[in-house]
Amino acid sequence: MPSLAETLHVVHGDSVGRGVRSLGARRVLPIRDHHLLGRCEADHGVTLADDLLRAIEGLPPAAPVAIWTSRALAERLATWWACRFLARTSVCPERLWLVQAIPPEGWGHEDLGCLPREALLHSFGCARPLGRSALRSGAAIWRRFTSSSPRGMDQLRLGGSRAFPDVDRVLEPYGWPFPIVRRRRLEPSILDRIVLGRLDPTTWQRPLDVYRDVTRDETVFYTLWGSWGMSIVAGRLQEWAQHRRDSPAIESRRAGVNHLTRIEYRLTSLGERILERGLDDPEEAPPFWIGGVPIHTSPYWVRRVGSRGWRIERLAR
């Protein structure tokens, strides 16, 4: 078991970093990159990778490196990103440890940034060696994520991973941004329905109002929080309002003073139709990226729902 104080702790974001430091860790490197917001290529975050490698090179010989992770998609992607770059270096895999979030019993979510101090300490106490095989597997998953095709990630979700046996659960939100095909109907994505479905044509609502409504559903809230963060609410509303401005699905007007209040939105008749009857065309929704995959633009990847669940495929046109 590595020493908490002597270990380099690689974490996703500053909030997790503060939590790990509160345990007595002296060496903490936050990954301040969000791999789900915008396009992501294989060598994404090279500068940050250089920081990681310099931090490791500055350690005493054989000092351990702990990669903190959870089942939250953003935190797991940060883990796979780290595997991608570490697998290309001379860092001995025996120095690498994986710290998996272990939430308290009855805890509704696993994001490391939301865990109490005692749970973080317990999680570190249960750290396990990452191992050469898992390092290579994580690097391979990162390459799948940054591919221009989502088939590799979907096959991983369905087929599983020996190194990361919870991958089916981790990748469930991966399908949220894809428009849904149910029988012959093309429906808005889960992500877009979460955002648009909280608007109506008669009441102006701010992103803050939509955000508050989302928090009432714990499953939706914690999945959004652990994947894109709640900034996705304001960002996606703005994208919808600016998409096809001559005939938008939602309209906007100036209101408050910050990103959660300065603009108000409401549905148009087109937005009502999209929610009630679906999309006439994938491009009726604004473009979106997940990893290296463009959504709502050619080649039109969709989430097809059937009796045995869902999978990602190209839309037949």
Side-chain angles (χ1 to χ4, degrees):
M1 178 63 60
S3 162
L4 183 68
E6 300 305 318
T7 297
L8 172 64
H9 302 267
V10 181
V11 300
H12 182 247
D14 289 311
S15 63
V16 182
R18 287 191 292 270
V20 173
R21 284 191 182 94
S22 76
L23 307 179
R26 299 201 300 260
R27 302 185 179 104
V28 179
L29 179 66
I31 298 173
R32 297 186 180 93
D33 204 346
H34 205 299
H35 304 113
L36 283 168
L37 297 177
R39 184 177 184 179
C40 218
E41 298 179 337
D43 287 332
H44 182 88
V46 170
T47 301
L48 186 58
D50 289 340
D51 293 340
L52 172 60
L53 297 179
R54 278 194 295 268
I56 294 175
E57 290 169 357
L59 295 174
V65 178
I67 302 173
W68 290 70
T69 194
S70 76
R71 289 194 177 111
L73 182 55
E75 291 177 343
R76 187 60 61 83
L77 282 171
T79 299
W80 293 329
W81 170 89
C83 288
R84 154 72 169 164
F85 285 98
L86 289 171
R88 300 167 62 186
T89 71
S90 59
V91 175
C92 179
E94 284 68 32
R95 295 175 62 186
L96 304 177
W97 292 73
L98 191 68
V99 182
Q100 173 74 42
I102 304 176
E105 186 174 352
W107 204 258
H109 53 99
E110 297 187 32
D111 310 46
L112 285 161
C114 298
L115 293 188
R117 183 179 183 277
E118 294 75 16
L120 291 175
L121 192 60
H122 177 57
S123 299
F124 182 76
C126 296
R128 61 180 175 83
L130 179 62
R132 192 180 302 272
S133 176
L135 182 65
R136 290 173 177 167
S137 294
I141 294 172
W142 176 257
R143 289 192 293 272
R144 290 189 186 210
F145 175 68
T146 57
S147 167
S148 60
S149 168
R151 286 197 174 111
M153 291 297 277
D154 198 40
Q155 290 166 359
L156 177 68
R157 178 184 64 87
L158 295 169
S161 166
R162 182 176 298 178
F164 300 95
D166 56 359
V167 72
D168 57 334
R169 180 173 169 181
V170 171
L171 291 182
E172 181 62 31
Y174 181 82
W176 279 29
F178 292 89
I180 299 167
V181 173
R182 205 184 309 267
R183 298 185 178 91
R184 295 185 178 180
R185 178 177 170 179
L186 182 64
E187 303 176 2
S189 68
I190 293 174
L191 184 60
D192 282 337
R193 188 168 289 278
I194 289 169
V195 175
L196 296 185
R198 286 165 168 79
L199 300 178
D200 66 63
T202 60
T203 306
W204 290 97
Q205 296 187 71
R206 305 164 299 171
L208 180 61
D209 302 317
V210 177
Y211 176 93
R212 285 172 175 164
D213 194 48
V214 169
T215 62
R216 295 173 185 167
D217 186 326
E218 285 195 1
T219 300
V220 169
F221 171 70
Y222 286 125
T223 301
L224 281 181
W225 181 274
S227 300
W228 293 272
M230 291 309 292
S231 64
I232 191 65
V233 171
R236 196 60 179 157
L237 283 170
Q238 185 178 36
E239 289 169 356
W240 271 100
Q242 294 177 349
H243 185 60
R244 294 187 173 181
R245 290 190 174 186
D246 56 331
S247 180
I250 64 175
E251 55 185 346
S252 62
R253 70 180 187 185
R254 301 289 297 183
V257 296
N258 60 45
H259 73 289
L260 290 176
T261 63
R262 66 170 169 248
I263 302 177
E264 294 177 323
Y265 302 93
R266 68 181 179 186
L267 281 179
T268 65
S269 58
L270 175 61
E272 288 186 278
R273 191 266 292 164
I274 287 174
L275 287 174
E276 291 173 4
R277 300 198 300 274
L279 298 160
D280 286 343
D281 184 274
E283 294 187 12
E284 273 195 313
F288 196 84
W289 285 89
I290 185 162
V293 179
I295 303 175
H296 294 299
T297 60
S298 180
Y300 305 118
W301 296 102
V302 296
R303 171 185 175 128
R304 180 170 294 278
V305 177
S307 59
R308 296 186 178 182
W310 62 273
R311 66 173 309 137
I312 304 297
E313 61 181 44
R314 281 188 179 181
L315 178 65
R317 295 175 66 82

